[in-house]
Amino acid sequence: MDISDLLSHPVAHHAFHYTLVGKALVRFGGEVAMVNRSLCNMLGYTEQELLRMRILDIIYTEDVPLYNGFMNDLLGGNSDYVEMENRYICLDGRHKWGMTTLSVIDVEGHPERVFLIQVQEITYRKRLVELNEAYADNSEYLLTIIPILFTTSC
């Protein structure tokens, strides 16, 4: 029985492959076993490149402990799925933000349990939040400096 057998039902196959959400099946050892086109397009890798990698190879270094913690929570049976915002490393070296959902697929009769990773890109939203925070910080600074400018100019 092969890992692709998990998607043998037409509905499962369609739900995995025909979506804007990037998806991957990852073995418990971290090896990427299957990816969809949306994940490849999002990160800039080919399917073959991703299949030669481990999932932590494309996770932004600072986010790896968070990612590992959530994977351990799932393996420990503490939750059915987890959601997090984390960064992924693209082929060109840039990073993109993703709203990531992790869950475990455990099919009776299939010898291997795997992680299902689903990623919705949120890079633009995260950058807008960062710009908004920078704008707010600058506004606060201006509000504190303006009175000082007027009192020293008189």
Side-chain angles (χ1 to χ4, degrees):
M1 208 176 215
D2 187 64
I3 203 160
S4 62
D5 293 337
L6 294 173
L7 301 178
S8 61
H9 192 280
V11 173
H13 177 83
H14 192 85
F16 186 88
H17 288 288
Y18 300 103
T19 178
L20 293 175
V21 175
K23 296 186 180 191
L25 294 178
V26 175
R27 292 186 169 88
F28 281 6
E31 302 86 12
V32 177
M34 188 178 291
V35 295
N36 71 358
R37 191 173 346 181
S38 292
L39 187 63
C40 295
N41 292 340
M42 182 185 315
L43 300 178
Y45 296 98
T46 66
E47 179 181 2
Q48 292 73 28
E49 288 170 322
L50 285 171
L51 293 177
R52 288 191 299 267
M53 301 173 96
R54 298 172 53 78
I55 192 64
L56 296 181
D57 294 337
I58 60 171
I59 304 296
Y60 196 73
T61 306
E62 294 173 13
D63 296 341
V64 168
L66 173 72
Y67 215 89
N68 279 334
F70 281 129
M71 290 174 120
N72 289 334
D73 283 349
L74 287 170
L75 292 175
N78 298 332
S79 55
D80 295 327
Y81 70 95
V82 293
E83 291 181 340
M84 66 182 142
E85 292 181 359
N86 66 288
R87 293 162 287 187
Y88 290 88
I89 302 168
C90 299
L91 178 65
D92 64 9
R94 292 181 302 138
H95 74 271
K96 289 187 177 179
W97 281 93
M99 172 59 76
T100 303
T101 304
L102 297 171
S103 57
V104 174
I105 297 179
D106 187 7
V107 176
E108 187 176 323
H110 194 274
E112 185 176 20
R113 294 171 41 189
V114 294
F115 290 109
L116 170 61
I117 298 172
Q118 301 179 85
V119 184
Q120 180 180 359
E121 185 183 347
I122 59 169
T123 304
Y124 295 113
R125 180 178 67 81
K126 292 295 280 190
R127 291 201 175 128
L128 283 173
V129 168
E130 290 169 359
L131 286 173
N132 191 36
E133 289 171 353
Y135 176 77
D137 290 344
N138 287 338
S139 297
E140 274 184 42
Y141 173 72
L142 287 174
L143 290 175
T144 59
I145 195 94
I146 288 174
I148 295 168
L149 291 174
F150 283 113
T151 57
T152 53
S153 64
C154 294

